[in-house]
């Protein structure tokens, strides 16, 4: 509900007489304490914390236009990626926004020397404040709220206000009304204890011939290893040569640590020629690297990016912290990851890996809209600098839990996943079986309610929607960004954790697999003197032929992703919201990206 402004004067005061305390209006508020939370206590007024203020990005539409131009293979600017300085200029705020926000802070006694200005990922101001100062600045009251399920407490407020003239300058302030805990986030992978892990690799060596005439190790119908994936997607014979120019990054969050010893055990078992390969761990915003606590998710990611891309250099990012969160029935504790801290670090670097994979996600509705849009815009900035960002599509089909909306109406709707729903990333769904591959039943897919459908995918998506007809009408937004874009195997992955092999499933496995393939495609382009692929979606969708199969991809035509009490979407010829364009065929894609 838009707040009514009953206390503004009819004539706006001049800048010289403006009183930021008297012209403030509510920026965001809750009618009551969000469900699942209870009041715990009121903190001492002299307690301190970091307050972050995100300023609106004045030229973000121009940045996105540039991203689409340099990513369109038919445009004269194709491949002309932006420098760090160029992208920062397009993501910046108006000088007036910065000046007037600082004036507002100064009015409340915050000296400019206390304010840190960060420009990566757009303009952010951060400052250490006391509870009393924050309450005065934001015309609010802070309290500690207890999360009933976890017992954890968070410092939040039920509403906050900004001066009227700053509403057009400030996107968001945090922490304020977005409730969160520090619980481990949702990872898009899961253990499969009913599947016996493979301790010996002989069964994964004897070949059979698949229907596509590819030599696939016999055991791949039972367990997936790098040998299976390299055979399925035709990378086995490719030898990288551009190692000095090419890098592959893995983003990890909230106490998920990739284990060095487990990687060596994995490589000796499943990719002997890569034994001894290492990777650096970059720790961001308090991210750890405790080698005594190997993470299933982190190990899965790094073992399969290296397993697919060796000898391409890999890098693991360990990011700490916890971002804003809105609870729903599936995500009952804070499982959002701190994208802003990670993306700010990445955009501060002079060079960025040409491919980065992330295997985490949440229901879109649990992420505040302003937060989601701001993060998505930052992903566009990374893509404009020449990086392919890959995200797993999620493991709940069209939605998990009761699929009720958390806006008070309790409608049962399909629940899209974020960041999978961001138009400026490449989202990876899941398949299973090998002869032929089929869409795996947990593969996340659907249509965003936050982001409009981008032009680059409109033709492909319209073909699917035409075949769907009125089925599920009202359950999803047919005009929303559709995902996934591509897919890969997501079942029975062999992962070494704590020295032991176990079976793991999830689109967490699909995303690093595709990341390794795109890293090899970049290697090939770099060896030819060409630049990296960068944001690949416009190129990818241009490979579709009149709503049918996509050049360079294996079309997946069977499988579905049930959820929300329905059978979900079904795979079909061409693009579909369970497997996207299909699974990659490296050799065919190699020919398509050589110019």
């Amino acid at each position: 509900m838009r707040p009514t402004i009953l206390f503004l004067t009819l004539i706006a005061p001049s800048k010289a007489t403006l009183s930021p305390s008297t012209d403030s209006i509510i920026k965001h508020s809750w009618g009551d304490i969000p469900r699942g939370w209870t009041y715990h206590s009121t903190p001492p007024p002299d307690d301190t914390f970091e307050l972050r203020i995100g300023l609106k990005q004045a030229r973000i539409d121009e940045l996105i236009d540039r991203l689409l131009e340099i990513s369109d293979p038919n445009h004269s600017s194709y491949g002309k990626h932006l420098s760090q300085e160029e992208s920062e200029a397009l993501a910046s705020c108006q000088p007036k926004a910065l000046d007037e926000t600082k004036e507002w802070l100064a009015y409340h006694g915050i000296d400019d020397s206390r304010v840190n200005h960060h420009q990566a990922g757009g303009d952010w101001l951060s400052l250490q404040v006391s509870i009393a100062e924050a309450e005065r600045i934001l015309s609010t009251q802070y309290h500690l709220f207890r999360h009933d399920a976890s017992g954890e407490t968070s410092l939040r407020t039920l509403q906050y206000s900004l001066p009227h003239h700053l509403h057009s300058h400030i996107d968001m302030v945090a922490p304020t009304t977005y409730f969160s805990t520090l619980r481990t986030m949702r990872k898009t992978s899961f253990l499969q204890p009913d599947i016996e892990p493979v301790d010996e690799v002989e069964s994964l060596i004897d070949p059979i011939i698949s229907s596509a005439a590819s030599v696939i190790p016999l055991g791949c119908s039972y367990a997936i290893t790098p040998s299976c994936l390299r055979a399925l997607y035709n990378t086995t014979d490719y030898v990288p040569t551009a190692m000095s120019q090419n890098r592959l990054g893995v983003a990890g969050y909230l106490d998920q640590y990739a284990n060095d010893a487990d990687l060596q055990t994995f490589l000796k078992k499943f990719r002997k020629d890569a034994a001894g390969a290492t990777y650096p761990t970059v720790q961001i915003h308090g991210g750890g690297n405790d080698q005594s606590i190997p993470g299933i998710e982190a190990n899965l990611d790094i073992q399969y990016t290296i397993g697919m891309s060796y000898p391409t250099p890999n890098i693991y990012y360990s990011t700490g912290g916890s971002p804003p969160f809105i609870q729903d029935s599936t995500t009952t504790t804070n499982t959002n990851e701190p994208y802003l801290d990670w993306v700010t670090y990445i955009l501060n670097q002079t060079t960025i890996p040409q491919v980065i994979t992330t295997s985490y996600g949440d229901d879109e509705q649990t992420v505040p809209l302003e937060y989601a849009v701001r993060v998505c815009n930052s992903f566009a900035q990374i893509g404009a600098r020449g990086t392919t960002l890959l995200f797993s599509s999620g493991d709940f089909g069209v939605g998990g839990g009761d699929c009720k909306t958390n806006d008070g109406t309790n409608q049962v709707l399909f629940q899209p996943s974020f960041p999978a729903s961001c138009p400026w990333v490449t989202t990876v769904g899941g398949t299973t079986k090998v002869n032929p591959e089929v869409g795996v039943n947990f593969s996340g897919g659907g249509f965003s309610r936050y982001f409009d459908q981008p032009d680059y995918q409109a033709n492909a998506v319209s073909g699917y929607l035409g075949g769907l007809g009125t089925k599920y009408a009202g359950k999803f937004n047919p005009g929303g960004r559709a995902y996934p874009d591509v897919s890969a195997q997501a079942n029975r992955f062999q992962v070494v954790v704590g020295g032991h092999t176990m079976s793991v499933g999830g689109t967490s496995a699909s995303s690093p697999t595709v990341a390794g393939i795109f890293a090899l495609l970049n290697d090939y382009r770099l060896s030819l003197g060409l630049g990296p692929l960068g944001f690949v979606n416009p190129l990818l969708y241009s490979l579709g032929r009149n709503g049918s199969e996509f050049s360079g991809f294996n079309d997946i035509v069977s499988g579905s992703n049930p959820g929300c009490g329905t059978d979900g979407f079904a795979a079909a010829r061409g693009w579909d919201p369970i497997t996207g364009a299909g699974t990659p065929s490296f050799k065919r894609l190699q020919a398509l990206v050589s110019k």
Side-chain angles (χ1 to χ4, degrees):
M1 177 181 295
R2 182 183 296 276
T4 56
I5 306 169
L6 302 177
F7 45 83
L8 292 179
T9 58
L10 293 177
I11 300 174
S14 68
K15 182 177 177 180
T17 62
L18 184 66
S19 174
S21 62
T22 58
D23 83 331
S24 290
I25 61 175
I26 293 172
K27 176 71 171 176
H28 185 264
S29 67
W30 290 103
D32 199 356
I33 299 173
R35 64 186 181 186
W37 296 81
T38 54
Y39 168 81
H40 179 271
S41 61
T42 297
D46 55 354
D47 279 3
T48 62
F49 65 98
E50 184 183 54
L51 192 71
R52 299 180 68 178
I53 302 168
L55 303 180
K56 288 188 182 293
Q57 299 167 295
R59 301 173 64 190
I60 191 63
D61 290 340
E62 185 179 345
L63 185 145
I64 290 172
D65 287 343
R66 290 287 300 277
L67 170 68
L68 291 171
E69 290 173 357
I70 61 184
S71 307
D72 180 355
N74 298 313
H75 197 280
S76 59
S77 295
Y78 180 62
K80 297 178 181 178
H81 300 116
L82 304 184
S83 67
Q84 181 180 7
E85 294 74 20
E86 289 171 328
S87 70
E88 286 181 355
L90 292 173
S92 65
C93 68
Q94 290 181 339
K96 180 180 179 181
L98 179 61
D99 293 342
E100 293 190 359
T101 301
K102 286 189 172 184
E103 287 174 5
W104 164 59
L105 294 173
Y107 176 89
H108 287 288
I110 306 296
D111 186 81
D112 191 56
S113 63
R114 293 174 58 188
V115 180
N116 297 308
H117 180 200
H118 313 276
Q119 291 181 285
D123 290 270
W124 287 86
L125 302 181
S126 65
L127 55 152
Q128 198 73 15
V129 295
S130 67
I131 297 289
E133 285 177 317
E135 290 181 338
R136 184 173 68 251
I137 293 168
L138 300 173
S139 300
T140 190
Q141 288 185 310
Y142 275 90
H143 302 285
L144 291 172
F145 294 89
R146 180 183 182 275
H147 186 256
D148 298 336
S150 67
E152 296 183 28
T153 58
S154 290
L155 179 70
R156 293 294 183 266
T157 179
L158 292 180
Q159 71 174 42
Y160 74 101
S161 299
L162 298 174
H164 179 254
H165 70 292
L166 291 184
H167 279 242
S168 61
H169 294 332
I170 294 176
D171 276 333
M172 56 179 287
V173 181
T176 51
T177 55
Y178 303 131
F179 281 61
S180 63
T181 74
L182 297 177
R183 301 283 287 185
T184 301
M185 71 184 63
R186 176 188 300 165
K187 305 175 292 292
T188 55
S189 66
F190 48 87
L191 287 173
Q192 297 176 309
D194 295 336
I195 299 175
E196 190 72 22
V198 174
D199 288 321
E200 302 295 334
V201 300
E202 282 78 4
S203 64
L204 296 173
I205 296 174
D206 296 333
I208 61 172
I209 304 298
S210 78
S211 59
S214 298
V215 179
I216 309 296
L218 180 63
C220 297
S221 59
Y222 177 79
I224 294 295
T225 68
S227 296
C228 298
L229 298 172
R230 295 172 70 206
L232 273 169
Y233 304 134
N234 295 310
T235 69
T236 303
D237 297 332
Y238 184 77
V239 180
T241 59
M243 287 81 74
S244 63
Q245 301 168 266
N246 198 22
R247 287 189 300 163
L248 194 168
V250 175
Y253 300 95
L254 296 179
D255 304 328
Q256 276 288 317
Y257 311 131
N259 186 271
D260 303 337
D262 284 342
L263 173 64
Q264 296 311 314
T265 301
F266 175 85
L267 295 176
K268 289 173 184 176
K269 256 188 172 184
F270 299 118
R271 185 156 184 189
K272 288 180 168 48
D273 64 314
T278 60
Y279 60 95
T281 294
V282 175
Q283 296 169 250
I284 303 169
H285 196 67
N289 186 25
D290 190 339
Q291 290 295 295
S292 69
I293 312 175
I296 297 171
E297 179 66 56
N299 277 5
L300 165 63
D301 288 341
I302 202 70
Q303 288 172 17
Y304 278 86
T305 54
I306 290 178
M308 291 298 293
S309 69
Y310 177 80
T312 302
N314 280 225
I315 182 170
Y316 186 82
Y317 299 101
S318 175
T319 305
S322 183
F325 168 78
I326 300 174
Q327 175 192 341
D328 74 355
S329 64
T330 303
T331 313
T332 56
T333 61
N334 184 358
T335 58
N336 292 348
E337 51 271 50
Y339 300 114
L340 286 177
D341 293 316
W342 177 80
V343 81
T344 298
Y345 173 86
I346 289 293
L347 287 171
N348 258 324
Q349 307 308 302
T350 55
T351 60
I352 304 174
Q354 292 88 343
V355 176
I356 301 175
T357 177
T358 306
S359 292
Y360 301 86
D362 290 280
D363 285 353
E364 187 182 68
Q365 69 169 357
T366 70
V367 182
L369 175 60
E370 301 93 335
Y371 183 88
V373 170
R374 187 57 180 258
V375 169
C376 189
N377 288 345
S378 296
F379 292 155
Q381 195 177 346
I382 292 177
R385 288 182 59 180
T387 293
T388 304
L389 279 177
L390 296 158
F391 280 85
S392 50
S393 69
D395 296 341
F396 295 92
V398 295
D402 60 18
C403 293
K404 289 182 179 179
T405 58
N406 64 349
D407 59 1
T409 65
N410 291 321
Q411 297 180 76
V412 176
L413 301 178
F414 291 172
Q415 293 297 332
S417 177
F418 179 83
S421 64
C422 172
W424 318 127
V425 305
T426 302
T427 303
V428 187
T431 62
T432 189
K433 301 184 179 180
V434 297
N435 189 21
E437 291 184 85
V438 302
V440 71
N441 60 5
F442 54 75
S443 181
F447 300 79
S448 174
R449 291 202 296 273
Y450 280 4
F451 302 101
D452 291 336
Q453 193 172 112
D455 289 342
Y456 64 70
Q457 66 173 184
N459 287 338
V461 174
S462 66
Y464 184 86
L465 291 175
L468 187 67
T470 60
K471 189 176 183 180
Y472 304 138
K475 293 285 188 184
F476 68 96
N477 172 25
R481 188 281 204 254
Y483 72 94
D485 302 300
V486 298
S487 55
Q489 287 284 313
N491 216 12
R492 303 172 182 267
F493 274 58
Q494 302 303 289
V495 181
V496 175
V497 182
H500 302 287
T501 304
M502 53 187 64
S503 291
V504 179
T507 55
S508 273
S510 311
S511 190
T513 297
V514 174
I517 293 167
F518 275 104
L520 296 182
L521 290 171
N522 276 334
D523 179 274
Y524 180 63
R525 281 180 60 86
L526 292 168
S527 72
L528 298 176
L530 302 172
L533 288 166
F535 177 51
V536 297
N537 289 14
L539 169 64
L540 187 160
Y541 283 93
S542 74
L543 301 176
R545 297 192 295 271
N546 300 319
S548 64
E549 69 274 9
F550 286 71
S551 301
F553 290 86
N554 308 306
D555 199 10
I556 309 301
V557 296
S558 61
S560 63
N561 56 352
C564 303
T566 74
D567 294 332
F569 296 112
R573 189 180 181 202
W575 182 89
D576 58 67
I578 175 173
T579 64
T583 59
S585 175
F586 176 76
K587 289 184 178 178
R588 283 185 277 152
L589 285 169
Q590 190 178 3
L592 293 168
V593 303
S594 61
K595 54 185 177 180

